[in-house]
Amino acid sequence: CCRVSTAFGGGSTQPHDHQQCTACLMGKGNCCENISVMGVHSDGGFREYTTLPARKLHSSQSLSWEQLALIEPLCIGAHAVRRAAVTREDSVLIIGVGPIGMAVAQLARAEGAHVVLLDMNEKRLALCRNKLDFTDLIHSTTCVPLEEVKKRLDGKLPTVVFDATGNPTSMDGSFHFVSHGGRLIFVGLHSQNVTFNDPLFHKRELTLLASRNATSADFAYVINLVESNVIDIRPWITHRSTFSALPEDFPTWLASTGVVKGMVVAHPKN
C-alpha cells in the first residue's frame, strides 16, 4: 500500500494484471495459478526502495506509513471473514491471536459478531484485552478449552471457527469446536496433512474453507475501515528498528514471545 499522487493515477490504480487462469477468470486473483508475491515467491521484500507499476498499488492519501505497512496482514483477515460470510448473528472463535488472528478478530467484530479468542500466549491475549478491547479471551493452558468456549457462549459452540495457528495439532483439533451446521476456516497454513474424524465432520454437516491472501476488494474495504477509524491497527506495533540496527535487533525479536509486529523504519527522523 502507498500514497499515490494524482499524477500517477490516484484512486484509479488497477492492482492486478488480468490473467487467463481459471481462478483469475472467477475474480480470485488471490489464488492465481501463476501468483508471484514479492518477498514470498520472488526476492525484494526487504528493499528500502523499489519500483512498481502504479496499477499494482493500493493508495491512501490519509494513512501514515506505519498504518499502510499493516494493511496487507489486515486484508488477510478481511478475506477470511468474507469467505466465512460472518454476520452479527454469528458467534466466532479465533484460535491463535498472532497478527493474522488479530486481523480476523477485528474484522469479525466489525461485522457485529460475538468474538472469542483462544491462545496460549498470555502477552498476546493481554494486548487483545488492553489495546484492542476484546473481553472474551481464553488461555488454552489454564483450562479445558472446549468447555471454556461453551461457557462464554451460553453452553453452545461457535457457528464460525477460524484457525490462524498454522499448527497441525491445533488444526486437527479445531473441528471439535464448531457447532452443528457451522463453518471452519483455515487461515493458518502448514506443509503437512490435516486429519479429522469423518463421522464428526458429517454428523455436524460442517463447511470447511481455506483462505489465501486477499483480493483488491479486500484492500479497498480495509483501507476504508482504517481511514474511517473503525479499526485501529497501530497497537499491533510492539517493536521498532531501523535498517542499520535490524541485524542486531532481529534475533531479539525472534527470541521474544511479546512480538506482534516489528516495524522497520526507513527514515526515523522524518
Side-chain angles (χ1 to χ4, degrees), residues 11-164:
S12 64
T13 55
Q14 298 297 318
H16 298 296
D17 293 323
H18 178 71
Q19 302 288 339
Q20 293 299 315
C21 81
T22 302
C24 288
L25 290 173
M26 292 191 296
K28 294 175 65 67
N30 59 297
C31 58
C32 169
E33 294 175 17
N34 305 301
I35 195 167
S36 180
V37 177
M38 180 182 290
V40 180
H41 306 102
S42 61
D43 292 337
F46 277 106
R47 289 175 183 169
E48 189 170 355
Y49 296 99
T50 192
T51 301
L52 291 170
R55 68 181 181 276
K56 293 188 177 290
L57 305 178
H58 302 273
S59 65
S60 171
Q61 299 296 331
S62 60
L63 298 184
S64 70
W65 297 117
E66 288 192 343
Q67 287 175 306
L68 289 166
L70 295 174
I71 291 295
E72 190 273 340
L74 192 60
C75 288
I76 303 298
H79 187 72
V81 169
R82 185 157 64 92
R83 286 277 286 154
V86 172
T87 72
R88 66 178 60 254
E89 303 301 322
D90 283 309
S91 52
V92 174
L93 172 67
I94 294 141
I95 305 173
V97 289
I100 301 303
M102 290 180 189
V104 174
Q106 289 181 278
L107 268 298
R109 183 169 62 183
E111 296 295 336
H114 180 181
V115 177
V116 179
L117 306 181
L118 175 65
D119 202 290
M120 60 189 298
N121 186 319
E122 179 56 40
K123 290 182 179 179
R124 289 183 173 179
L125 290 171
L127 187 148
C128 291
R129 180 187 304 110
N130 300 328
K131 300 293 186 180
L132 302 179
D133 298 322
F134 286 96
T135 55
D136 281 315
L137 304 106
I138 301 171
H139 194 298
S140 61
T141 65
T142 63
C143 64
V144 179
L146 185 62
E147 296 305 315
E148 188 62 30
V149 169
K150 289 181 180 179
K151 288 181 183 179
R152 305 300 178 102
L153 298 174
D154 299 323
K156 299 179 181 179
L157 289 173
T159 55
V160 183
V161 175
F162 295 90
D163 191 292

Side-chain angles (χ1 to χ4, degrees), residues 5 21 30 41 56 63 67 74 96 139 164 201 216 221 226 239-240 243-244 257 265:
S5 71
C21 81
N30 59 297
H41 306 102
K56 293 188 177 290
L63 298 184
Q67 287 175 306
L74 192 60
H139 194 298
F201 182 70
S216 295
Y221 176 61
V226 179
H239 295 68
R240 287 181 173 85
F243 278 99
S244 59
T257 59
V265 184

